[in-house]
Structures are given as C-alpha cells and as structure tokens.
Amino acid sequence: MSAILEKPGFNPDRKYKIIGTSPVKHDGFDKVTGRAKFAADFFLPGMLIGKFLRSPHPHAFVRKIDVSRAEKLAGVKAVVTRDDFPELKPGTGGGDMSRIAMAREKVYWEGHPVAAVAAVSETIARKALKLIKVDYEVLPHVIDPVAAMAPNAPILHDYLRTKGVKGPDAEKKTNVVERLELSVGDAEEGFKEADVVVEHTYDTKPMHQGYIEPQSSVANVSEDGQVELWCCTQAPWVYRDRLTEILKLDSAKIRIQQSELGGGFGGKTTFYTEPVAILLSKKAKAPVKMTLTRVEVMKATGPVSGTQTRTKMGCKKDGTIVAADSELIFQTGPYTGSAFTNAPQAMFTRYELKNVKTVSYEVVSNRPKVSSFRAPCVPQAVFGVEDVVSELAKKIGMDPIDFRLKNAIKEGHKTIYGETFTKIGFIETLEAAKACDHYKSPVPKGQGRGVACGFWFNRGGETTGTVNLAPDGTVNIILGTADVAGSRMSMSMMAAEEFGIPVDRVRSILADTHSLGYNRVTAGSRTTFSSGMIVVDATRKIIAELTRRAAKIWGVPEDGVIFEDGHCRPASSNVGNFEPLSMKDIASKTTYTMGAISGHSEMNVTGAGPGFGLHIVDVKVDRETGLTQIMRYTVVEDAGKAISPMQVEGQYQGGAVQGIGWALNEEYIYGADGKLQNAGFLDYRMPVASDVPMIDTVIVEVPNPKHPFGLRGVGEVPVTPTMAAVGNAIGECIGIRPRSLPMTPPKVLKLIEEAEAKGLLPKH
Amino acid sequence: MSELRYEAPASLKAAAALLAKEKGLAKILAGGTDVIVQMETDLIEPELLVDIKKIAVLRKITAEKGGFRIGAAVSGMEMMEHAALCKSWPGVLDGVKLIGSIQVKARATVAGNLCNGSPAADSVPPMITAGAVARIVGPKKTREVPVEEIPLSPGKTNLAKGEIIESFFLPKRPKNSGDAYERFTPRTEMDIAVVGVAINLTLDADGVCTAARVCLGAVAPTVIVSKECAAALVGTKVDQAALDKLAAAASAACRPIDDKRGTIEFRTKVAGVLARRVAVKALERARRIA
C-alpha cells in the first residue's frame, strides 16, 4: 500500500494555481477537427470486414447452422459459429459471456448473434450472411419481467434456481435469478410511529446508454497466436481477462489498445464484437474489423434494467421519517449481471432511517442483456423514493428541501450496506439548493416545480499509472483507466499542480494492456479520483527523485534541497548559494546522474468520497396534448473539489439530460412477436439539443479528506434524481404525479383528464 | 443479388429511360435521406440508384402564372431560403421546416417526402391544402397530377415504372388567404409526426371564410383531405363555434392505428387540438396577407 492512501495530505489552506481552472482539453482540438481516432477509424493493411448474423427470434433452440454456402462465396475468408468457441458451462460467468457473444444451445433475444462472417468487403460479408441457413425451433418468449415471474412463464434456463430462496421453491425452475433482502431495524414496528404513510407503485423502462460511437474493434491474430486488439472500451484489462477466459488465451499473448471513446456511460464495460473479431481473424489469418450498425447497437448491446417497484415510507408530524419499505423487480435480459444490488443499498441512502426493509428480485427475460449505465439500477428506485419523500413533505406542510434537511444523513452515519461515512456534503448541498437563485425564484405561472435528491457511492479500486519526465522538463503520463469524460486533462492538471509547471507542459495518454499493470474498469465515478491518486503519488515520487538528484549535483545532503514551482532550491542559505535547478536542468543531465526519471504507482485505491446532489426543475405541460417542456433545470451537487469546473459542469448537465430523456420519452417498444420496434434514433426518442434548456449548475465543494485535493467522483449522481425531479414537477403542474416511465404525452394527457375529473388539476 | 449501380444522368429523359429499362429494383436518389437510410437498415436492396440532382431543370424554383414551380430536386433549405415562396405559402414552409434537422433539410426534397409514401410526411398535408400539382414525366407521356392523388398506401404511390416527378406547381396565393401546418411530436425536431394538420383558408372582405382545405397527416394510411373539416370553417368567421366544430370534425375524420409513435385515442384527440390551433394560425396569416 502506498503512503498516499494513509496520508493523502489534504490541506484545506492550500492555494491552487491550476486545480479549479478550466483549460481547453488537450484532446479537445482533435475532437472538434475530426482528427481524433475512434475505434471505427482504425485500419490495417489487408483488413477484412466482419458482420454478424443475428437471430430473428426472441427465443428458440438452434438446431443446426449450415455455413457451407457462405464459406464458398468468393471473397469470404472466414465464418465463425458456436463451434469455434471453447465450450464453457452455462450459468457460469465465462459461460454466460461466451453465449452472449455467440449463441450456443439457444437464442435468447431478437438480435442474439448466431454466426459471423469475415470478407473482403462489407457487401460480400452481408451477402454471405444471407447464405447461412439456421434451423431454429421457436419457443414461447417472455419480454416483461413481471410476466417472466409468473408460474406458467416460458423458462429461459432449465438450470436456473433462485438464489436467496429457501423451502420448496428453492428447487423450482424459474426466471428469477435472485431474491435479496436488505434491511435494518424493524420496518413494521417503525410504521406504527408514523403519523403519515405514503405508498405507491412505479415502473421504469429500459433505456439505452445512447453513446454516439457504435462498438467497433479491429483484431489481428498472428500465426503464432498473438492477438492485437484495438477497440473502444471503458475496461481494457477487464476485456483482456474475460477474453482470455472465454477464448482460452494467455494474457501475455493478447494486447488491447483502447481508442478514443465516443461515449460509454457504462455501456462499454462489456464486449460484443471483440471475441468474434479475434476468432474471425484467427481463422482468416488477416486483421478483421467489426463495427456495429445503430440497429445492432440498439438491439444487441446493453440497455439499462427496467423495473417494477413499490415504495412505502412513513413520517411523524414533525417530519421525522420513521420507516421505509420497498419491493423491487429488476429486468436483466437473458443473463444475470444487472448490478441490481446497488438499488437497495443506495435508494434511501440520504436519509437517517432506523427501520428499512427492502426485497429485490433480478429476473431474466428475452431481451438483450442489460449493461451498466451511470449509477446502475439506482435512478429507477429513486424515481419512487423521491416521489414518496416529496408527498410526505407536502402532507405535513413542510418545504420539500427542509423535509430532506430534517432527515439528512451526515458524517458518522452507518449505511444499510455497512459503511460509516466520513465527511460528506449532503447537508451543504441541500443548503446550497435552498440558497440558489432557481429555488428562491417563484414558480412561474402555469408551471410546476419538482425537486429530488440523489446519491452514489463513488468507487476506487485497482489502478496503476506511470509519469515520465522528458529531458526538456516536460511530463507525460501513462494511464490505464479510460478517458470517458476528460480524465486525461484532469490528470495533466493534477500533475502540473504538484510540479508547479504550466499544464501545457504535461500530456496524458491511454496505455495498452501490456504497458501497465491491472486497471479496474472505468466506472462508478472512480477514474478522476483513483487515477488522480496514482498520478499525485507518482508525481511526488519524481519530485523526491529530483531533490535527490539536485543534492547530488550540488554535493549537499538531500534534506538541504526543497522543490517548489518546478525548481529544486537550496532549503536555506546555509546549504549554499546555488542557482535553482529547473526540471529541465535536472532531466537533461540524467545521463550523468542515475538515468531517466519516472514515477510509477499502483494501488487498490480506497477512500472515495460519496456524492450527493439535488435537482430543481420547472416544467410546463400542455394540457391539451400532455407534452412536457423542461423550462428551467438546476443541478446542485457536491464535487468535493472540482479539478476542472467546466468538466464537472459537463457531467452534471450530461447526467441531467440523459435522465430527462429517460423521464420523458425513452423506452424499448416490443411487438407481440418479441421483436424490438424502435431500434434507431428516429423512434427511440433521446432528447435533441432543442428539447432541453441550458442546465444550470451549482458546484458544492465539501472536500473528501481521503484525497490530496479533496475530490469526489461526480459522474453518476447527476442522473440518479432526474426522473424523480421531472416526475415531481409534472405532478405539481397537473395535480397527479406520473408513476410510470416514460412520462409520454399520451400518459400525461390521461393523468390530466383524471386530475380534472377528480378536481385535482391546479388552476392557472 | 448483383452489385448496386449508380447513375447520375444529365436529363430527365435519360433518367426515365434508365428507370424504365431496369429489371431489378431501381430507386430515384435526390436527397437520399430516406433511400440511403432504408438501404442501411436492409429495408430495400436496390440494384440501381438514379441520382436526379445533376438534372439542372430539377434544381430550380421559378415564378409561373403568379405562383411557383419547384423542381423535384430542390432541397428543403433552398425552399426555406426563397423569400417570395416563404411569403406566399408559409404553411407549406411550416411543413418543410419540420423535416428532420438543418442537415437533413439541406439534402431532403419535398418530392422525396411525397414519394416515400409516408402518411406522416410533414410537407405533404400543406402541399395538398395549397392545391399543389405535380408534373410527372414518364417514358411515354407527361401528366399533371394533384399531390393528394399520388400516395396510395404507406410506401406506395401511383407513379408507374419509369415515371419521375419533375416539379410541383404551387398556384398564385388568392387574396385574404393563409395557410398553416403543425404537427405533434414528443421531441422538438428529428422526429416523425404523430398527428399533423394543414389548413389553407380564404376570407372575403368581411372576414367570412369562403374556401378552406383541411388535411390530416399520420392518422390514416394516407393523408386525409377532410371535407367535413373544411365545411366547419366555410361560411363562418372562424369563431369559437366554428373551431369547436372543426376540432370535432378532425377527430371524427381520423382512422389511426396504435403503433410505436402513438395511440388511436391520443391521435384522435390531438388531431382536434391541432386543427383548432392551425386554423387560428391560418386565420391570422389570411388577415395579414391582404
């Protein structure tokens, strides 16, 4: 373990020169000029194009696959099916990953890959796909998770038994992967103390991460079995380890280079094209590129879990929440891995609750396997919790932020999942929200205002990195985490701050998997925090080495040298009258001292500071059409310390905009045939720029004492309360709070009619 | 399946001949905002693309008999930049402006919007209410066809093999008349109409509506030209009573389906809402364009 984890040296009085400014990102120029190389921009000489054949059925046995005619087509260089994959046991991690990449016994969703072709052109590859004959035995399918839990539902996996169930049901065939109960205190007893109880049911729909860059990879397998892979990923090392597992490779023989990432949001933490491109390349003895089309991205890459939830909370007349109870059903696609356990851990983690009961279920059905998305599985649960909280406040006549303040957790709170918080900034966030211009302004006539809070754990984990000093005194940083949102720039800024040099003298790059040790996936809002620890640690090692070298050059003891503003100086006039040595002075003479200077660091980083936020939104609803317009939106969130405020704002705004899409229009629409009907941006209605106003931001800074600059992750919190905030605002506007996502015009129009009939519709 | 061929003839005659003799599926390519997308998503596999953008006569907007002749390869943005056209037919331009995005409109054409055969096409209802007539050139003859007669069913038109729309004629704008189009979409742009309503009306000196055409989009297999809606307006001053009657007639005229873009119930109701709003807008324009 590194010293920095024990003594991060956070100094509240330190004055920063670079931290807290927003210089233009070093990778920004290439992105706006189009020079940046995303995965699909990669070409190799002699490269073939690979294409998938996908199942037209949501659920079927795959009896036979005849590829003979495809193989004979001129220009086709390789065809891959299940027979080319090592057989791994179904129901295991590797077995599931292998079967997601290529169907084996069964196809489990419309779009499940059944074969792939590599050919000299895309046209030929597409022609070849039409020549492959697949004999399916079509089975009944089930799309909806609640239907999948019914006793007579089609069973996806004969081997599946519900984890966490005891008694006679434990041995039954089922689509329920797990039943998880997570509770503290005694909810039933707690409710007895309640003066007011509110309970509602909710449903949310799967939404897609919506990254603009489709998955793409180029694999190049040599005759002696060495694999080179270029791809867009948030997790090069995770990909390497999983690929070695399902393809039976040695890690030493596979090298993965991540490209620029054209959006990931959690969706690029798991592979789709990569294992197939590798097998095609191996067979064809040529490099193979596979790029998904938008339809493939929508049909076969991870959306987010849809949910059915019930949430009940009670409070006393003075506003004290006394108990909470929730039941949650998460859809995961055909295989486990939805990260649903985040939900019961995070859903109430803002409030001081002594009595909580949660029961969660993860359910398989015939839809694409879900993938991570900002705060996986948490926003769906918060959609209900923050409605109930606002309704409780309203029922006892309390301001919704005051009600939250009354119940807010602070330092020393022990969470439902066992962590005891050190310094957190929830109260400061709520106070900043109350004080901000948006909340202080009256709600414009005819509009409704909603507020909602969110929480995310923030993560650390295994991270490595290297900082190199060049002879001219400039610095380059080699990072293993992906740059999903500007982390290279943040790392350059942190190193420049430590060295006391301009940030333009620092550049950061993203390593391949051979160049550094293991780096955990870039997810959980861990990267700027974790790689930041690594970079500061490595930078400090270099500074220590620079002072040693200066001492050597001057012939003085090491403690006679100090380092500041990029220079080694004598610690006092007693040391001697030496001219300060710049980083360049020392780095250019390393041949005569002890060789090149670099700093390396590896840690299992701990101490990520939890993040809290509050969103305020004003909406206008067209009472004749049910159309909701977002009029004003403010995100208030604790960043610990914003390294680059502009990038932090971007995270706040991006999270809110993705949440607005999820709230208002995004959903997967299936026909009775189990086929996805809106596999494209035309009918999968993500917001466009003109749909949202400028999102205002308030960056609260309550430093995380475990980081030298005090930073916290900021990427996930801003999506957690968005749908709840928008729902609450619509509820204020029309008199009934929508509880089913997306809150589309037809649904809202029906609620308006209901509100009118019940006399609940507010008068303008 | 043979290789896709691309031709860009310089004359309409050559284009018609290429289309007429092609044995496989041939598609006309103007902006390509429908054809290319359909090819990319495997909905169509044409063997021949005939690009009509190189045919000079199709790229012009010209004044004719006090109205306008718009070439079939004129892009939406070119129409939006034509000041006289915009002034004369604001409702037609309402429809054009709603197609896709600026980038899409820089390529997309009104002829393509029509020939794609979608009942939700935004430029089609206001072209119909404007009384636009298409000039269709075929291998043997040229015919003049009102726009409303061209769509037959979703994806199908009455154009025969080898026929190409050469241009549209938009007549002279009568005095005291105005047109407007609105659609309902959940998003502000890059979306497809859930319901669309176009109205073109003419007033007399006393402000009484003497003529009206009302068209409903996306609520039936083809655009509906509603005589009942028009009757609700004609002879009135387009007052509240007339608007109520119009809204009821519009909802009654709908024959929509439930699909991924909207429900029967919602479309039926919103058709009435939009009809009322569009009539008010057309009325304001009629009063302004004296």
Side-chain angles (χ1 to χ4, degrees), chain A residues 126-127 130 622 624-625 627 665 669 677 681-683 685-686 688 690-691 745-746 749-750 753, chain B residues 1 3 39-42 45 184-189 191-192 194 260-261 265-266 269 273 277:
Chain A
R126 284 161 79 132
K127 274 187 208 174
K130 293 192 168 67
D622 183 333
E624 291 184 313
T625 65
L627 184 76
N665 286 307
I669 301 167
Q677 296 186 340
F681 283 150
L682 187 58
D683 287 307
R685 287 162 160 151
M686 281 172 66
V688 297
S690 48
D691 289 333
L749 193 56
K750 270 198 176 307
E753 286 162 6
Chain B
M1 185 172 101
E3 292 291 329
M39 287 167 63
E40 278 293 307
T41 50
D42 287 331
E45 275 180 44
F184 182 84
T185 53
R187 290 185 294 192
T188 45
E189 59 175 7
D191 214 333
I192 301 282
V194 177
K260 61 190 172 188
R261 291 176 187 150
E265 191 187 348
F266 181 78
K269 181 162 185 192
V273 172
R277 291 178 184 180

Side-chain angles (χ1 to χ4, degrees), chain A residues 162-482:
Chain A
T162 306
K163 187 180 160 194
V165 167
K166 293 193 176 71
D169 284 352
E171 284 313 308
K172 276 190 187 153
K173 286 185 188 178
T174 178
N175 291 320
V176 181
V177 179
E178 186 174 351
R179 177 190 185 277
L180 174 76
E181 190 175 334
L182 190 65
S183 301
V184 290
D186 186 333
E188 210 175 314
E189 280 299 311
F191 278 112
K192 288 178 187 166
E193 287 181 60
D195 295 315
V196 185
V197 174
V198 171
E199 178 175 12
H200 294 292
T201 57
Y202 304 86
D203 72 275
T204 70
K205 301 299 188 304
M207 66 94 81
H208 196 272
Q209 291 82 352
Y211 35 80
I212 299 302
E213 179 199 30
Q215 272 83 357
S216 182
S217 62
V218 175
N220 189 27
V221 184
S222 70
E223 281 73 2
D224 63 346
Q226 309 214 52
V227 180
E228 294 175 297
L229 183 69
W230 293 265
C231 59
C232 47
T233 172
Q234 295 174 238
W237 280 263
V238 176
Y239 277 27
R240 180 196 67 187
D241 296 348
R242 290 178 178 174
L243 287 167
T244 56
E245 183 183 354
I246 70 164
L247 299 178
K248 306 277 182 207
L249 297 165
D250 288 339
S251 294
K253 290 183 190 163
I254 173 165
R255 188 165 64 84
I256 302 178
Q257 174 64 58
Q258 55 182 314
S259 68
E260 284 290 342
L261 199 70
F265 313 108
K268 288 174 182 164
T269 55
T270 186
F271 49 64
Y272 299 95
T273 61
E274 289 79 0
V276 182
I278 289 170
L279 290 178
L280 285 170
S281 173
K282 189 179 167 191
K283 249 187 172 171
K285 297 184 169 60
V288 173
K289 180 188 216 165
M290 296 193 86
T291 304
L292 299 188
T293 64
R294 182 64 56 192
V295 173
E296 288 179 296
V297 168
M298 295 303 292
K299 283 194 178 182
T301 70
V304 178
S305 293
T307 59
Q308 300 275 336
T309 61
R310 178 189 59 76
T311 294
K312 177 180 169 186
M313 295 173 87
C315 73
K316 292 193 210 168
K317 279 188 196 128
D318 71 351
T320 310
I321 303 174
V322 290
D325 169 33
S326 188
E327 197 176 23
L328 311 111
I329 297 167
F330 289 87
Q331 166 266 116
T332 181
Y335 296 99
T336 183
S338 63
F340 76 102
T341 57
N342 285 336
Q345 294 180 36
M347 64 188 295
F348 297 113
T349 302
R350 293 177 291 296
Y351 307 116
E352 198 66 64
L353 296 175
K354 291 190 177 62
N355 304 298
V356 180
K357 183 183 178 188
T358 69
V359 178
S360 309
Y361 300 90
E362 188 192 50
V363 182
V364 293
S365 65
N366 296 111
R367 356 175 27 136
K369 159 79 171 63
V370 301
S371 184
S372 291
F373 173 68
R374 303 176 99 144
C377 291
V378 176
Q380 296 95 315
V382 170
F383 177 58
V385 173
E386 291 293 307
D387 170 35
V388 172
V389 168
S390 280
E391 192 175 325
L392 285 173
K394 203 172 189 181
K395 285 207 156 135
I396 62 160
M398 218 167 158
D399 171 87
I401 299 182
D402 285 338
F403 184 81
R404 287 165 169 90
L405 267 167
K406 168 113 188 146
N407 293 285
I409 54 172
K410 45 187 165 299
E411 188 172 354
H413 170 84
K414 191 179 181 206
T415 64
I416 194 168
Y417 54 95
E419 184 182 351
T420 301
F421 285 148
T422 56
K423 184 64 194 158
I424 54 170
F426 187 40
I427 288 172
E428 290 83 348
T429 300
L430 294 175
E431 284 168 347
K434 272 198 84 175
C436 80
D437 180 61
H438 186 171
Y439 200 69
K440 285 195 295 189
S441 310
V443 183
K445 199 168 148 47
Q447 297 183 20
R449 175 170 297 165
V451 300
C453 294
F455 155 80
W456 178 249
F457 314 94
N458 289 329
R459 307 287 194 195
E462 286 162 273
T463 314
T464 71
T466 295
V467 179
N468 291 312
L469 184 60
D472 64 356
T474 63
V475 173
N476 67 68
I477 304 173
I478 305 174
L479 299 167
T481 46

Side-chain angles (χ1 to χ4, degrees), chain B residues 260-278:
Chain B
K260 61 190 172 188
R261 291 176 187 150
T263 61
I264 292 171
E265 191 187 348
F266 181 78
R267 285 178 154 131
T268 304
K269 181 162 185 192
V270 173
V273 172
L274 285 191
R276 187 190 288 274
R277 291 178 184 180
V278 172

Side-chain angles (χ1 to χ4, degrees), chain A residues 74-138:
Chain A
V76 171
K77 300 295 180 186
V79 182
V80 158
T81 67
R82 57 191 176 185
D83 298 334
D84 298 279
F85 279 79
E87 179 152 13
L88 294 163
K89 198 175 168 226
T92 61
D96 288 356
M97 279 186 279
S98 167
R99 283 166 178 81
I100 292 166
M102 188 65 72
R104 198 158 195 99
E105 300 83 3
K106 274 177 166 186
V107 288
Y108 285 107
W109 77 93
E110 183 225 0
H112 198 161
V114 286
V117 168
V120 295
S121 75
E122 185 179 334
T123 310
I124 294 173
R126 284 161 79 132
K127 274 187 208 174
L129 295 181
K130 293 192 168 67
L131 301 175
I132 297 174
K133 286 269 171 297
V134 184
D135 182 8
Y136 295 103
E137 181 187 333
V138 177

Side-chain angles (χ1 to χ4, degrees), chain A residues 61-74:
Chain A
F61 280 115
V62 183
R63 283 189 190 131
K64 195 168 172 268
I65 306 171
D66 179 0
V67 300
S68 55
R69 284 178 66 211
E71 282 175 333
K72 281 177 201 142
L73 184 70

Side-chain angles (χ1 to χ4, degrees), chain B residues 62-110:
Chain B
T62 45
E64 185 178 315
K65 297 179 193 161
F68 300 92
R69 185 160 292 282
I70 303 163
V74 170
S75 74
M77 288 307 284
E78 285 165 343
M79 288 176 74
M80 286 163 62
E81 285 161 4
H82 195 285
L85 178 66
C86 294
K87 194 168 170 229
S88 217
W89 291 103
V92 171
L93 271 297
D94 285 344
V96 171
K97 282 176 193 163
L98 287 167
I99 297 171
S101 60
I102 289 171
Q103 293 90 332
V104 170
K105 285 190 284 271
R107 298 198 62 89
T109 64
V110 166

